[in-house]
Coordinates of all heavy atoms in Angstrom, one line a residue:
M8 N 33.5 8.6 33.8 CA 33.0 8.3 32.5 C 31.4 8.6 32.5 O 30.7 8.1 33.4 CB 33.3 6.9 32.1 CG 32.7 6.6 30.7 SD 33.2 5.1 29.8 CE 33.5 3.9 30.9
S9 N 30.9 9.3 31.6 CA 29.5 9.6 31.5 C 28.8 8.5 30.8 O 29.3 7.8 30.0 CB 29.2 10.9 30.8 OG 29.6 10.8 29.5
K10 N 27.5 8.3 31.2 CA 26.7 7.2 30.7 C 25.9 7.8 29.6 O 25.2 8.8 29.7 CB 25.8 6.6 31.8 CG 25.2 5.4 31.4 CD 24.5 4.8 32.6 CE 24.0 3.4 32.3 NZ 23.3 2.8 33.4
C11 N 25.8 7.2 28.4 CA 25.1 7.6 27.3 C 23.6 7.3 27.5 O 23.3 6.2 27.9 CB 25.6 7.0 26.0 SG 27.2 7.5 25.5
K12 N 22.7 8.2 27.1 CA 21.3 7.9 27.2 C 20.9 6.9 26.0 O 21.4 7.1 24.9 CB 20.5 9.2 27.1 CG 19.0 9.0 27.3 CD 18.3 10.4 27.4 CE 16.9 10.2 27.7 NZ 16.2 11.5 27.9
I13 N 20.1 6.0 26.4 CA 19.6 5.0 25.4 C 18.2 5.3 25.0 O 17.3 5.6 25.9 CB 19.7 3.6 26.0 CG1 21.1 3.2 26.5 CG2 19.2 2.5 24.9 CD1 22.1 3.1 25.5
Y14 N 17.9 5.3 23.7 CA 16.6 5.5 23.2 C 16.0 4.3 22.6 O 16.7 3.6 21.8 CB 16.6 6.6 22.2 CG 17.1 8.0 22.7 CD1 18.4 8.3 22.6 CD2 16.2 8.9 23.2 CE1 18.9 9.5 23.1 CE2 16.6 10.1 23.7 CZ 18.0 10.4 23.7 OH 18.4 11.6 24.2
V15 N 14.7 4.0 22.9 CA 14.0 2.9 22.2 C 13.5 3.5 20.9 O 12.8 4.5 21.0 CB 12.9 2.3 23.1 CG1 12.2 1.2 22.3 CG2 13.5 1.8 24.4
V16 N 13.7 2.9 19.8 CA 13.3 3.5 18.5 C 12.2 2.7 17.9 O 12.3 1.4 17.8 CB 14.5 3.6 17.5 CG1 14.1 4.2 16.2 CG2 15.7 4.4 18.1
Y17 N 11.2 3.3 17.5 CA 10.0 2.7 16.8 C 9.9 3.2 15.4 O 10.1 4.4 15.1 CB 8.7 3.0 17.6 CG 8.6 2.4 19.0 CD1 9.2 3.0 20.1 CD2 8.0 1.2 19.1 CE1 9.1 2.4 21.3 CE2 7.9 0.6 20.3 CZ 8.5 1.2 21.4 OH 8.4 0.6 22.7
D18 N 9.5 2.3 14.5 CA 9.2 2.6 13.1 C 7.7 2.4 13.1 O 7.2 1.3 13.0 CB 9.9 1.6 12.2 CG 9.6 2.0 10.7 OD1 8.8 2.9 10.4 OD2 10.2 1.3 9.8
G19 N 7.0 3.5 13.2 CA 5.5 3.4 13.4 C 5.2 2.8 14.8 O 5.6 3.4 15.8
D20 N 4.5 1.7 14.8 CA 4.2 1.0 16.1 C 5.2 -0.1 16.4 O 5.1 -0.8 17.4 CB 2.8 0.5 16.1 CG 1.8 1.6 16.0 OD1 2.1 2.7 16.6 OD2 0.7 1.3 15.5
K21 N 6.1 -0.4 15.5 CA 7.0 -1.5 15.6 C 8.4 -1.1 16.2 O 9.0 -0.2 15.7 CB 7.3 -2.2 14.3 CG 8.2 -3.4 14.3 CD 8.4 -4.0 12.9 CE 9.4 -5.1 13.0 NZ 9.8 -5.6 11.7
K22 N 8.7 -1.7 17.3 CA 10.0 -1.4 18.0 C 11.1 -2.0 17.1 O 11.1 -3.2 16.8 CB 10.1 -2.1 19.4 CG 11.4 -1.8 20.1 CD 11.4 -2.5 21.5 CE 12.7 -2.4 22.1 NZ 12.8 -3.1 23.4
I23 N 12.1 -1.2 16.7 CA 13.2 -1.7 15.9 C 14.5 -1.8 16.6 O 15.4 -2.4 16.1 CB 13.4 -0.8 14.6 CG1 13.7 0.7 15.0 CG2 12.2 -0.9 13.7 CD1 14.2 1.5 13.8
G24 N 14.6 -1.3 17.8 CA 15.8 -1.4 18.6 C 16.0 -0.3 19.6 O 15.2 0.6 19.8
S25 N 17.1 -0.5 20.3 CA 17.6 0.5 21.3 C 18.9 1.1 20.9 O 19.8 0.3 20.6 CB 17.7 -0.1 22.7 OG 16.4 -0.6 23.1
Y26 N 19.0 2.4 20.9 CA 20.2 3.0 20.3 C 20.6 4.2 21.2 O 19.8 4.9 21.8 CB 20.0 3.5 18.9 CG 19.6 2.5 17.9 CD1 18.2 2.5 17.5 CD2 20.4 1.6 17.4 CE1 17.8 1.5 16.6 CE2 20.0 0.6 16.5 CZ 18.7 0.6 16.0 OH 18.3 -0.3 15.1
T27 N 21.9 4.5 21.2 CA 22.4 5.8 21.7 C 22.1 6.8 20.6 O 21.8 6.4 19.4 CB 23.9 5.8 22.0 OG1 24.6 5.5 20.8 CG2 24.2 4.7 23.1
A28 N 22.3 8.1 20.8 CA 22.1 9.1 19.8 C 23.1 8.9 18.6 O 22.7 9.0 17.5 CB 22.2 10.5 20.4
A29 N 24.3 8.5 19.0 CA 25.3 8.3 17.9 C 25.0 7.0 17.1 O 25.1 7.1 15.8 CB 26.7 8.1 18.6
E30 N 24.5 6.0 17.7 CA 24.0 4.8 16.9 C 22.8 5.1 16.1 O 22.7 4.6 14.9 CB 23.7 3.7 17.9 CG 24.9 3.1 18.6 CD 24.6 2.2 19.8 OE1 23.5 2.3 20.3 OE2 25.5 1.4 20.1
A31 N 21.9 5.9 16.6 CA 20.7 6.3 15.8 C 21.2 7.1 14.6 O 20.6 7.0 13.5 CB 19.7 7.1 16.6
E32 N 22.2 8.0 14.7 CA 22.7 8.8 13.6 C 23.3 7.8 12.6 O 23.0 8.0 11.4 CB 23.8 9.7 14.1 CG 24.4 10.5 13.0 CD 25.4 11.5 13.5 OE1 26.3 11.1 14.3 OE2 25.4 12.7 13.0
E33 N 24.0 6.8 13.0 CA 24.6 5.9 12.1 C 23.6 5.0 11.4 O 23.6 4.8 10.2 CB 25.6 5.0 12.8 CG 26.4 4.1 12.0 CD 27.4 3.3 12.8 OE1 28.2 3.9 13.5 OE2 27.4 2.1 12.6
E34 N 22.5 4.5 12.1 CA 21.5 3.6 11.5 C 20.5 4.4 10.7 O 20.0 3.9 9.7 CB 20.8 2.9 12.7 CG 21.7 1.9 13.4 CD 22.1 0.7 12.5 OE1 21.3 0.2 11.7 OE2 23.3 0.3 12.6
L35 N 20.0 5.5 11.2 CA 18.9 6.2 10.6 C 19.2 7.5 9.9 O 18.4 8.0 9.1 CB 17.8 6.5 11.7 CG 17.4 5.3 12.5 CD1 16.5 5.8 13.6 CD2 16.6 4.3 11.6
G36 N 20.4 8.0 10.1 CA 20.8 9.3 9.5 C 20.4 10.5 10.2 O 20.6 11.6 9.7
I37 N 19.7 10.4 11.4 CA 19.3 11.6 12.1 C 20.5 12.2 12.8 O 21.3 11.4 13.4 CB 18.2 11.2 13.1 CG1 17.7 12.5 13.9 CG2 18.6 10.2 14.1 CD1 16.5 12.3 14.8
P38 N 20.8 13.5 12.8 CA 21.9 14.0 13.5 C 21.7 13.7 15.0 O 20.7 13.9 15.6 CB 21.8 15.5 13.2 CG 21.0 15.6 11.9 CD 20.1 14.5 12.0
K39 N 22.8 13.3 15.6 CA 22.7 12.8 17.0 C 22.3 13.9 18.0 O 21.6 13.6 19.0 CB 24.1 12.2 17.5 CG 25.2 13.1 17.5 CD 26.5 12.4 17.9 CE 27.7 13.2 17.8 NZ 28.9 12.5 18.0
K40 N 22.5 15.2 17.6 CA 22.1 16.3 18.5 C 20.6 16.5 18.4 O 20.0 17.1 19.3 CB 22.8 17.6 18.1 CG 24.3 17.5 18.5 CD 25.0 18.8 18.1 CE 26.5 18.7 18.5 NZ 27.2 20.0 18.2
Q41 N 20.0 16.0 17.3 CA 18.5 16.1 17.1 C 17.7 15.0 17.8 O 16.5 15.2 18.1 CB 18.2 16.1 15.6 CG 18.8 17.2 14.9 CD 18.2 18.6 15.2 OE1 17.0 18.7 15.3 NE2 19.1 19.6 15.4
V42 N 18.3 13.9 18.2 CA 17.5 12.8 18.8 C 16.8 13.2 20.0 O 15.6 13.0 20.2 CB 18.5 11.6 19.1 CG1 17.7 10.5 19.8 CG2 19.1 11.1 17.8
A43 N 17.5 13.9 20.9 CA 16.8 14.4 22.2 C 15.7 15.3 21.9 O 14.7 15.3 22.6 CB 17.9 15.0 23.1
I44 N 15.8 16.2 20.9 CA 14.8 17.1 20.6 C 13.6 16.4 20.0 O 12.4 16.7 20.4 CB 15.3 18.2 19.5 CG1 16.4 19.0 20.2 CG2 14.2 19.0 19.0 CD1 17.2 19.8 19.2
Y45 N 13.8 15.4 19.2 CA 12.6 14.6 18.7 C 12.0 13.9 19.8 O 10.7 13.8 19.8 CB 13.1 13.7 17.6 CG 13.2 14.3 16.2 CD1 14.3 15.1 15.8 CD2 12.2 14.1 15.3 CE1 14.3 15.6 14.5 CE2 12.2 14.6 14.0 CZ 13.3 15.4 13.7 OH 13.3 16.0 12.4
E46 N 12.7 13.3 20.7 CA 12.2 12.6 21.8 C 11.4 13.5 22.7 O 10.2 13.2 23.1 CB 13.3 11.9 22.6 CG 12.8 11.1 23.8 CD 13.0 11.9 25.1 OE1 14.1 12.4 25.3 OE2 12.1 11.8 26.0
K47 N 11.9 14.7 23.1 CA 11.3 15.6 24.0 C 10.0 16.1 23.4 O 9.0 16.3 24.1 CB 12.2 16.8 24.3 CG 11.7 17.8 25.2 CD 12.6 18.9 25.5 CE 12.0 20.0 26.3 NZ 12.9 21.1 26.5
N48 N 9.9 16.4 22.1 CA 8.8 17.0 21.5 C 7.8 15.9 20.9 O 6.8 16.3 20.3 CB 9.2 18.0 20.4 CG 9.9 19.2 20.9 OD1 9.3 19.9 21.7 ND2 11.1 19.4 20.6
E49 N 8.2 14.7 21.0 CA 7.4 13.6 20.5 C 7.2 13.7 19.0 O 6.1 13.4 18.5 CB 6.1 13.4 21.2 CG 6.3 13.1 22.7 CD 4.9 13.0 23.5 OE1 3.9 13.1 22.9 OE2 5.0 12.8 24.7
W50 N 8.2 14.2 18.3 CA 8.2 14.3 16.8 C 8.6 12.9 16.2 O 9.3 12.2 16.9 CB 9.1 15.4 16.3 CG 8.7 16.7 16.7 CD1 7.5 17.2 17.2 CD2 9.6 17.9 16.8 NE1 7.6 18.5 17.4 CE2 8.8 19.0 17.2 CE3 10.9 18.1 16.5 CZ2 9.4 20.2 17.4 CZ3 11.5 19.3 16.6 CH2 10.7 20.4 17.1
K51 N 8.2 12.7 15.0 CA 8.7 11.6 14.2 C 9.7 12.0 13.2 O 9.4 12.9 12.4 CB 7.5 10.8 13.6 CG 6.6 10.2 14.6 CD 5.6 9.3 13.9 CE 4.8 8.5 15.0 NZ 4.1 7.4 14.4
Y52 N 10.9 11.4 13.2 CA 11.9 11.6 12.2 C 11.5 11.0 10.9 O 11.1 9.8 10.9 CB 13.2 11.1 12.7 CG 14.4 11.2 11.7 CD1 14.8 12.5 11.4 CD2 15.0 10.1 11.2 CE1 15.9 12.6 10.5 CE2 16.0 10.3 10.3 CZ 16.4 11.5 9.9 OH 17.5 11.7 9.0
Q53 N 11.6 11.8 9.8 CA 11.1 11.3 8.5 C 9.7 10.8 8.5 O 9.3 10.0 7.7 CB 12.1 10.3 7.9 CG 13.5 10.8 7.7 CD 14.4 9.7 7.1 OE1 14.1 8.5 7.1 NE2 15.5 10.2 6.5
G54 N 8.9 11.3 9.4 CA 7.5 11.0 9.5 C 7.2 9.5 10.0 O 6.1 9.1 9.9
R55 N 8.2 8.8 10.4 CA 8.0 7.4 10.8 C 8.7 7.0 12.1 O 8.3 6.1 12.8 CB 8.4 6.5 9.7 CG 9.8 6.6 9.2 CD 10.0 5.8 7.9 NE 10.3 4.4 8.2 CZ 10.8 3.5 7.3 NH1 11.1 4.0 6.1 NH2 10.9 2.3 7.6
Y56 N 9.9 7.5 12.4 CA 10.7 7.0 13.5 C 10.5 7.9 14.7 O 10.6 9.1 14.7 CB 12.2 7.0 13.2 CG 12.6 6.2 12.0 CD1 13.0 6.7 10.8 CD2 12.6 4.8 12.1 CE1 13.3 5.9 9.7 CE2 12.9 4.0 11.1 CZ 13.3 4.6 9.9 OH 13.6 3.8 8.8
S57 N 10.1 7.2 15.8 CA 9.9 7.9 17.1 C 10.9 7.4 18.1 O 11.4 6.2 18.0 CB 8.5 7.8 17.6 OG 8.1 6.4 17.7
F58 N 11.2 8.3 19.1 CA 12.3 7.9 20.1 C 11.7 8.1 21.5 O 11.1 9.1 21.8 CB 13.5 8.9 19.9 CG 14.1 8.9 18.5 CD1 13.6 9.7 17.5 CD2 15.1 8.1 18.2 CE1 14.1 9.7 16.3 CE2 15.7 8.0 17.0 CZ 15.2 8.9 16.0
L59 N 11.9 7.1 22.3 CA 11.5 7.1 23.7 C 12.7 6.8 24.5 O 13.5 5.9 24.1 CB 10.3 6.1 23.9 CG 9.0 6.3 23.2 CD1 8.1 5.2 23.5 CD2 8.4 7.7 23.6
P60 N 12.8 7.4 25.7 CA 13.9 7.0 26.6 C 13.8 5.6 27.1 O 12.6 5.2 27.4 CB 13.8 8.1 27.7 CG 12.4 8.5 27.7 CD 11.9 8.4 26.3
Q61 N 14.8 4.9 27.1 CA 14.8 3.5 27.7 C 14.9 3.7 29.2 O 15.8 4.3 29.7 CB 15.9 2.7 27.1 CG 15.9 1.3 27.7 CD 16.9 0.4 27.0 OE1 16.9 0.3 25.8 NE2 17.8 -0.2 27.8
E62 N 13.9 3.2 29.9 CA 13.9 3.2 31.3 C 14.8 2.1 31.9 O 14.7 1.0 31.5 CB 12.5 3.1 31.8 CG 11.6 4.3 31.4 CD 10.2 4.2 32.0 OE1 10.0 3.5 33.0 OE2 9.3 4.9 31.4
E63 N 15.6 2.5 32.9 CA 16.4 1.5 33.5 C 15.7 1.0 34.8 O 15.1 1.8 35.5 CB 17.8 2.2 33.9 CG 18.6 2.6 32.7 CD 19.9 3.3 33.2 OE1 20.4 2.9 34.2 OE2 20.4 4.1 32.4
P64 N 15.8 -0.2 35.0 CA 15.1 -0.7 36.3 C 15.8 -0.2 37.5 O 17.1 0.0 37.5 CB 15.3 -2.3 36.2 CG 16.4 -2.5 35.2 CD 16.4 -1.3 34.3
Q65 N 15.1 0.2 38.5 CA 15.6 0.7 39.7 C 16.2 -0.5 40.5 O 15.8 -1.6 40.4 CB 14.5 1.4 40.5 CG 13.9 2.5 39.7 CD 13.6 3.7 40.5 OE1 13.8 3.7 41.7 NE2 13.2 4.8 39.9
K66 N 17.2 -0.2 41.3 CA 17.8 -1.2 42.1 C 16.8 -1.9 43.0 O 16.1 -1.2 43.7 CB 19.0 -0.7 42.9 CG 20.2 -0.3 42.1 CD 21.4 0.0 43.0 CE 22.6 0.2 42.1 NZ 23.8 0.6 42.9
G67 N 16.8 -3.2 43.1 CA 15.9 -3.9 43.9 C 14.5 -4.0 43.5 O 13.6 -4.4 44.2
E68 N 14.3 -3.5 42.2 CA 12.9 -3.6 41.7 C 12.4 -5.0 41.5 O 13.2 -5.8 41.1 CB 12.9 -2.9 40.3 CG 11.5 -2.7 39.7 CD 11.6 -2.0 38.4 OE1 12.1 -0.8 38.4 OE2 11.1 -2.5 37.4
P69 N 11.2 -5.3 42.0 CA 10.7 -6.7 41.8 C 10.8 -7.1 40.4 O 10.5 -6.4 39.5 CB 9.3 -6.6 42.3 CG 9.2 -5.4 43.2 CD 10.3 -4.4 42.6
G70 N 11.1 -8.4 40.2 CA 11.1 -8.9 38.8 C 12.5 -8.7 38.1 O 12.7 -9.2 37.0
E71 N 13.3 -7.9 38.7 CA 14.6 -7.6 38.1 C 15.5 -8.8 38.2 O 15.7 -9.3 39.3 CB 15.3 -6.4 38.7 CG 16.7 -6.1 38.2 CD 17.3 -4.9 39.0 OE1 16.7 -4.4 39.9 OE2 18.5 -4.7 38.7
K72 N 16.0 -9.3 37.1 CA 16.9 -10.4 37.1 C 18.3 -10.0 37.6 O 18.8 -9.0 37.1 CB 17.0 -11.1 35.8 CG 15.7 -11.7 35.3 CD 15.9 -12.4 34.0 CE 14.6 -13.1 33.6 NZ 14.7 -13.7 32.3
K73 N 18.9 -10.8 38.5 CA 20.2 -10.5 39.0 C 21.1 -11.7 38.7 O 20.6 -12.8 39.0 CB 20.2 -10.1 40.5 CG 19.3 -8.9 40.8 CD 19.2 -8.6 42.2 CE 18.3 -7.4 42.4 NZ 17.9 -7.3 43.8
Y74 N 22.3 -11.5 38.3 CA 23.2 -12.6 38.0 C 24.5 -12.4 38.7 O 24.9 -11.3 39.0 CB 23.5 -12.6 36.5 CG 22.2 -12.8 35.6 CD1 21.6 -11.7 35.1 CD2 21.7 -14.1 35.4 CE1 20.4 -11.9 34.3 CE2 20.6 -14.3 34.7 CZ 19.9 -13.2 34.1 OH 18.8 -13.4 33.4
I75 N 25.1 -13.5 39.1 CA 26.4 -13.5 39.7 C 27.4 -14.1 38.7 O 27.0 -14.9 37.8 CB 26.4 -14.2 41.0 CG1 26.0 -15.7 40.9 CG2 25.5 -13.5 42.0 CD1 26.2 -16.5 42.2
S76 N 28.6 -13.8 38.9 CA 29.6 -14.3 38.0 C 29.8 -15.8 38.3 O 29.6 -16.3 39.4 CB 30.9 -13.6 38.1 OG 31.5 -13.9 39.4
N77 N 30.4 -16.5 37.3 CA 30.7 -17.9 37.5 C 31.7 -18.1 38.6 O 31.6 -19.1 39.3 CB 31.1 -18.5 36.1 CG 31.2 -20.0 36.2 OD1 30.3 -20.7 36.7 ND2 32.2 -20.6 35.5
A78 N 32.7 -17.3 38.6 CA 33.7 -17.4 39.6 C 33.1 -17.2 41.0 O 33.5 -18.0 42.0 CB 34.8 -16.3 39.4
L79 N 32.2 -16.3 41.2 CA 31.6 -16.2 42.5 C 30.7 -17.4 42.9 O 30.7 -17.8 44.0 CB 30.7 -14.9 42.5 CG 30.0 -14.6 43.8 CD1 31.0 -14.4 45.0 CD2 29.1 -13.3 43.7
A80 N 30.0 -17.9 41.9 CA 29.2 -19.1 42.1 C 30.1 -20.3 42.6 O 29.8 -21.0 43.5 CB 28.4 -19.5 40.9
L81 N 31.2 -20.5 41.9 CA 32.2 -21.6 42.3 C 32.8 -21.3 43.7 O 32.9 -22.3 44.5 CB 33.3 -21.7 41.2 CG 32.9 -22.2 39.9 CD1 34.0 -22.1 38.9 CD2 32.3 -23.6 39.9
D82 N 33.1 -20.1 44.0 CA 33.6 -19.8 45.3 C 32.6 -20.0 46.4 O 32.9 -20.6 47.4 CB 34.1 -18.3 45.3 CG 34.8 -18.0 46.6 OD1 35.7 -18.7 47.0 OD2 34.4 -16.9 47.2
W83 N 31.3 -19.7 46.1 CA 30.3 -19.9 47.0 C 30.1 -21.4 47.3 O 30.0 -21.9 48.4 CB 29.0 -19.3 46.5 CG 27.8 -19.7 47.3 CD1 26.9 -20.7 47.2 CD2 27.4 -19.0 48.5 NE1 25.9 -20.7 48.2 CE2 26.2 -19.6 49.0 CE3 27.9 -17.9 49.2 CZ2 25.6 -19.2 50.2 CZ3 27.2 -17.5 50.4 CH2 26.1 -18.1 50.8
D84 N 30.1 -22.2 46.2 CA 30.0 -23.7 46.4 C 31.1 -24.3 47.2 O 30.9 -25.1 48.1 CB 29.9 -24.4 45.0 CG 28.6 -24.1 44.3 OD1 27.6 -23.7 44.9 OD2 28.6 -24.3 43.0
F85 N 32.3 -23.8 46.9 CA 33.5 -24.3 47.6 C 33.4 -24.0 49.1 O 33.6 -24.8 50.0 CB 34.8 -23.7 47.0 CG 36.0 -24.1 47.8 CD1 36.6 -25.3 47.8 CD2 36.6 -23.1 48.7 CE1 37.7 -25.6 48.5 CE2 37.7 -23.4 49.4 CZ 38.3 -24.7 49.3
T86 N 33.0 -22.7 49.4 CA 33.0 -22.2 50.8 C 31.9 -23.0 51.6 O 32.1 -23.4 52.7 CB 32.7 -20.7 50.8 OG1 33.7 -20.0 50.1 CG2 32.6 -20.2 52.2
T87 N 30.7 -23.2 51.0 CA 29.7 -23.9 51.7 C 30.0 -25.3 52.0 O 29.8 -25.8 53.0 CB 28.3 -23.8 51.0 OG1 28.5 -24.2 49.6 CG2 27.8 -22.4 51.0
K88 N 30.7 -26.0 51.0 CA 31.1 -27.4 51.2 C 32.2 -27.4 52.3 O 32.2 -28.4 53.1 CB 31.7 -27.9 49.9 CG 30.6 -28.3 48.9 CD 31.2 -28.8 47.6 CE 30.1 -29.1 46.6 NZ 30.6 -29.6 45.4
M89 N 33.1 -26.5 52.3 CA 34.1 -26.5 53.4 C 33.5 -26.2 54.8 O 33.9 -26.9 55.7 CB 35.2 -25.4 53.1 CG 36.1 -25.7 51.9 SD 36.9 -27.4 52.0 CE 38.0 -27.1 53.4
L90 N 32.6 -25.3 54.8 CA 31.9 -25.1 56.1 C 31.1 -26.3 56.6 O 31.2 -26.6 57.8 CB 30.9 -23.9 56.0 CG 31.6 -22.5 55.9 CD1 30.5 -21.4 55.6 CD2 32.3 -22.2 57.2
L91 N 30.5 -27.0 55.7 CA 29.8 -28.2 56.1 C 30.8 -29.3 56.5 O 30.5 -30.0 57.5 CB 28.9 -28.7 54.9 CG 27.7 -27.9 54.6 CD1 27.1 -28.4 53.3 CD2 26.7 -27.9 55.7
A92 N 31.9 -29.4 55.9 CA 32.9 -30.4 56.2 C 33.5 -30.1 57.5 O 33.7 -31.0 58.4 CB 34.0 -30.5 55.1
V93 N 33.9 -28.9 57.8 CA 34.5 -28.5 59.0 C 33.5 -28.6 60.2 O 33.9 -29.0 61.3 CB 35.0 -27.0 59.0 CG1 35.5 -26.5 60.3 CG2 36.2 -27.0 58.0
G94 N 32.3 -28.3 59.9 CA 31.2 -28.4 61.0 C 30.8 -29.8 61.3 O 30.0 -30.1 62.1
G95 N 31.4 -30.8 60.6 CA 31.1 -32.2 60.9 C 29.9 -32.8 60.1 O 29.6 -33.9 60.2
R96 N 29.3 -32.0 59.3 CA 28.2 -32.5 58.5 C 28.7 -33.0 57.1 O 29.7 -32.5 56.6 CB 27.1 -31.4 58.2 CG 26.4 -31.1 59.5 CD 25.3 -30.1 59.2 NE 24.4 -30.5 58.1 CZ 23.6 -29.7 57.5 NH1 23.6 -28.4 57.7 NH2 22.8 -30.1 56.5
K97 N 28.0 -34.0 56.6 CA 28.4 -34.5 55.3 C 27.9 -33.5 54.2 O 26.8 -32.9 54.4 CB 27.9 -35.9 55.0 CG 28.5 -36.9 55.9 CD 28.0 -38.3 55.6 CE 28.7 -39.3 56.5 NZ 28.2 -40.6 56.3
T98 N 28.6 -33.3 53.1 CA 28.1 -32.4 52.1 C 26.9 -33.1 51.4 O 26.8 -34.3 51.4 CB 29.2 -32.1 51.1 OG1 29.7 -33.3 50.5 CG2 30.3 -31.4 51.7
H99 N 26.0 -32.3 50.8 CA 24.8 -32.8 50.2 C 25.2 -33.7 49.1 O 26.0 -33.5 48.2 CB 24.1 -31.6 49.6 CG 22.8 -31.9 49.0 ND1 21.7 -32.4 49.7 CD2 22.4 -31.9 47.7 CE1 20.7 -32.6 48.8 NE2 21.1 -32.4 47.6
G100 N 24.5 -34.9 49.1 CA 24.6 -35.8 48.0 C 25.7 -36.8 48.2 O 26.0 -37.7 47.3
K101 N 26.4 -36.8 49.3 CA 27.5 -37.7 49.6 C 27.2 -38.5 50.9 O 27.6 -38.1 52.0 CB 28.8 -37.0 49.7 CG 29.3 -36.4 48.4 CD 30.7 -36.0 48.4 CE 31.1 -35.5 47.1 NZ 32.5 -35.2 47.0
G102 N 26.4 -39.5 50.8 CA 26.2 -40.4 51.9 C 25.0 -40.2 52.7 O 24.7 -40.7 53.6

């Protein structure tokens, strides 16, 4: 499956959102094939809307927030408690 390019859309200097070309066509009326052309040439659609590519954070980039699923967090808690119990130590907060 191919990944759609995301564009940050500005109305003058105000950011109004992030859209794919198809979403920009639906919201602003610009033909989706024209979005990349406007972005590349730094043109303004209808004299007001500009398009910039949304940059994706690189893997491991400092400041990037990483989240784990709730199931993984629960599994981690269970495993660490079991390791502590088997190893003869009391679990944190109990005694």
Side-chain angles (χ1 to χ4, degrees):
M8 177 168 34
S9 65
K10 193 172 184 182
C11 292
K12 186 170 184 178
I13 306 290
Y14 298 92
V15 180
V16 182
Y17 290 87
D18 184 356
D20 292 332
K21 181 182 176 188
K22 178 181 173 182
I23 61 169
S25 298
Y26 305 104
T27 63
E30 292 169 335
E32 179 178 44
E33 188 176 307
E34 292 291 321
L35 306 172
I37 183 172
K39 62 184 175 184
K40 293 181 179 182
Q41 298 291 317
V42 174
I44 296 169
Y45 275 81
E46 180 258 315
K47 181 180 176 184
N48 293 300
E49 298 180 4
W50 294 340
K51 290 191 174 196
Y52 176 66
Q53 294 183 342
R55 61 188 278 194
Y56 300 108
S57 55
F58 303 88
L59 296 174
Q61 178 170 309
E62 295 182 19
E63 296 181 30
Q65 304 222 349
K66 287 188 176 182
E68 183 176 308
E71 176 185 357
K72 292 184 180 179
K73 298 176 183 166
Y74 299 96
I75 61 172
S76 70
N77 191 39
L79 181 59
L81 291 173
D82 187 47
W83 175 263
D84 290 343
F85 173 78
T86 302
T87 55
K88 286 179 183 179
M89 291 305 295
L90 288 172
L91 290 172
V93 170
R96 290 183 54 198
K97 293 182 179 179
T98 58
H99 181 70
K101 293 194 177 186

